[in-house]
Amino acid sequence: MKVLVIGGGAREHALCRSLSLDPDVTALHCAPGNAGIAEVAELHGVNALDGAAVAELAVGLEADLVVVGPEAPLVAGVADAVRDRGVPVFGPSAQAAQLEGSKAFAKDVMATAAVPTARSYVCTTPEEIDEALDAFGAPYVVKDDGLAAGKGVVVTEDVEAARAHALACDRVVIEEFLDGPEVSLFAVTDGETVVPLQPAQDFKRAYDGDQGPNTGGMGAYSPLPWADPKLVDEVMATVLQPTVDELRRRGTPFSGLLYAGLAITSRGVRVIEFNARFGDPETQVVLARLKTPLAGLLHAAATGTLATLPPLRWSDGAAVTVVIASHNYPDTPRTGDPIDGLADVVAQDGPKAYVLHAGTQRDDSGAVLSAGGRVLSVTATGSDLTTARQRAYRALGRISLDGSQHRTDIAAKVADDAAEAQGA
């Protein structure tokens, strides 16, 4: 199978890494890719948002499967352009991707499908904004209706900060605050059959102790030892399958990766948001634990044959990923700084720990430089969360990037709690 992956972040590096390990993949391409992806795939300088160019590349490569990684190309209709050329695509149509592209659309789908979520108002005027903020009270949850790279949500006790964020958006969703821990659950679907992956938890805030501004994600871990063993079955029955069924009923079937961001509240599971693609950084830890070859799974979703696949196989161990971010992230990051120590991780920590590139590029001399806000995802596996966490941070300690930042507490509490429970 010849596979083309679209995108250039750590999520796409995780996808390419897994695909490169799949014996059924005979050729692996990525557009535009990054410095790390170049080690496992052939890169092509094609704009990921240009559907016609991506489709032309897929046809020219005689690709058997195109995997669209980021949300922006999906919402822009890149998957549609490739499908129109007769190439199987893992990724929803532009219409179905509105599940992520518009919070208001997602709320409408959930309401029709009786999917449990937060009560909300869609607002377009200052008067509607004030009414919604008054109705719910603090803490205020304000979401930009459109795509915002994981940074369009403000959760605050400060009504003026909430109002300012709302007024800066063309259309905004204001909703009730959901208490309880958050969980990310991915599911692969061909528009009818839904196959859930293993749940993960990510860390959105920039600083230790869940302090600071929201980011695209500073780390993640899987599995979740504290979660109810029936959680996946419950989410399948109440969230994932009803949503896929409703989109098919509307004539806009969803084929690809359906990502449910969930809150485990005192009143039960509630959907915080949907995404139409693999999440970053959760993909890094979920794929690290997946033993089933990835290409066949994604190809089955792209060709409507998921129902024929055997059950997925998973490792019994754990995985942890820690993000190294540029100076000043999530505000305008500093880029162009050299990254050292990557070869040391390969030599001393592989294959149990490895580095996935997010915002990187090579200069003319071949040196790897920072080229974005989130630069690297240091990922490790182990027999349990404590071991995986120790390996990830040990590997991270070998890497130097001037002015970089990372959280030191990724999976710390859950690893300690799990170790304590095991000891008891």
Side-chain angles (χ1 to χ4, degrees):
M1 196 186 303
K2 296 178 184 174
V3 183
L4 169 62
V5 176
I6 304 303
R11 162 188 45 228
E12 287 76 37
H13 193 179
L15 288 163
C16 285
R17 179 182 181 275
S18 291
L19 289 165
S20 73
L21 298 172
D22 187 333
D24 287 337
V25 176
T26 55
L28 182 58
H29 302 266
C30 186
N34 61 39
I37 295 173
E39 296 174 10
V40 295
E42 182 180 341
L43 301 192
H44 301 269
V46 170
N47 181 354
L49 293 170
D50 186 338
V54 171
E56 193 62 36
L57 175 62
V59 171
L61 293 172
E62 298 181 340
D64 301 296
L65 175 67
V66 173
V67 180
V68 183
E71 60 273 25
L74 291 168
V75 172
V78 169
D80 303 86
V82 177
R83 259 190 214 102
D84 287 346
R85 298 292 296 273
V87 181
V89 186
F90 183 81
S93 66
Q95 281 186 301
Q98 284 302 302
L99 203 59
E100 176 170 5
S102 168
K103 306 289 190 300
F105 176 79
K107 287 289 186 183
D108 183 61
V109 170
M110 284 188 272
T112 307
V115 169
T117 186
R119 291 179 299 122
S120 64
Y121 295 100
V122 179
C123 307
T124 55
T125 68
E127 293 75 23
E128 290 174 345
I129 288 167
D130 289 339
E131 285 177 23
L133 293 173
D134 289 344
F136 289 129
Y140 303 98
V141 181
V142 183
K143 299 180 176 182
D144 189 334
D145 180 53
L147 293 180
K151 292 174 280 198
V153 180
V154 165
V155 181
T156 178
E157 298 279 347
D158 183 344
V159 68
E160 290 307 320
R163 182 178 287 114
H165 182 67
L167 290 171
C169 304
D170 289 334
R171 185 159 78 152
V172 69
V173 175
I174 296 173
E175 62 183 40
E176 67 176 324
F177 177 76
L178 297 175
D179 63 316
E182 295 183 12
V183 173
S184 301
L185 184 61
F186 302 162
V188 173
T189 177
D190 57 12
E192 291 193 35
T193 301
V194 181
V195 177
L197 306 186
Q198 290 283 302
Q201 187 173 54
D202 74 335
F203 294 76
K204 286 270 193 282
R205 299 282 186 168
Y207 312 131
D208 284 4
D210 290 328
Q211 300 299 304
N214 262 345
T215 70
M218 296 299 290
Y221 70 91
S222 179
L224 312 182
W226 51 266
D228 187 325
K230 301 191 201 110
L231 174 65
V232 173
D233 290 340
E234 179 187 347
V235 175
M236 269 289 291
T238 63
V239 175
L240 298 170
Q241 192 71 56
T243 300
V244 169
D245 291 346
E246 171 59 19
L247 285 166
R248 188 174 68 253
R249 188 191 68 77
R250 292 180 177 214
T252 57
F254 188 104
S255 168
L257 196 289
L258 179 57
Y259 163 152
L262 309 164
I264 313 301
T265 77
S266 54
R267 294 170 293 144
V269 174
R270 297 288 185 272
V271 175
I272 300 170
E273 65 176 356
F274 283 124
N275 290 328
R277 39 70 194 181
F278 280 102
D280 183 351
E282 300 98 322
T283 301
Q284 287 85 302
V285 292
V286 172
L287 292 187
R289 298 185 55 230
L290 178 65
K291 292 174 75 174
T292 297
L294 184 60
L297 173 63
L298 303 187
H299 190 266
T303 55
T305 57
L306 263 184
T308 65
L309 280 193
L312 299 183
R313 295 180 294 114
W314 298 91
S315 72
D316 293 330
V320 172
T321 193
V322 184
V323 170
I324 298 177
S326 290
H327 175 75
N328 205 41
Y329 178 78
D331 291 328
T332 305
R334 192 174 78 202
T335 58
D337 290 310
I339 302 165
D340 294 314
L342 296 173
D344 294 337
V345 175
V346 175
Q348 300 185 55
D349 302 291
K352 299 290 189 185
Y354 49 89
V355 179
L356 298 168
H357 292 231
T360 65
Q361 64 183 23
R362 287 191 186 273
D363 66 10
D364 293 339
S365 69
V368 179
L369 308 178
S370 63
R374 291 184 295 171
V375 181
L376 304 168
S377 286
V378 183
T379 305
T381 57
S383 57
D384 52 35
L385 283 169
T386 298
T387 305
R389 187 173 183 279
Q390 288 170 345
R391 285 175 175 161
Y393 278 102
R394 185 163 58 236
L396 184 148
R398 305 189 201 283
I399 298 168
S400 63
L401 170 62
D402 186 51
S404 67
Q405 56 177 312
H406 66 272
R407 283 184 57 160
T408 65
D409 62 347
I410 301 300
K413 183 178 185 306
V414 69
D416 291 345
D417 290 349
E420 193 176 311
Q422 204 167 23

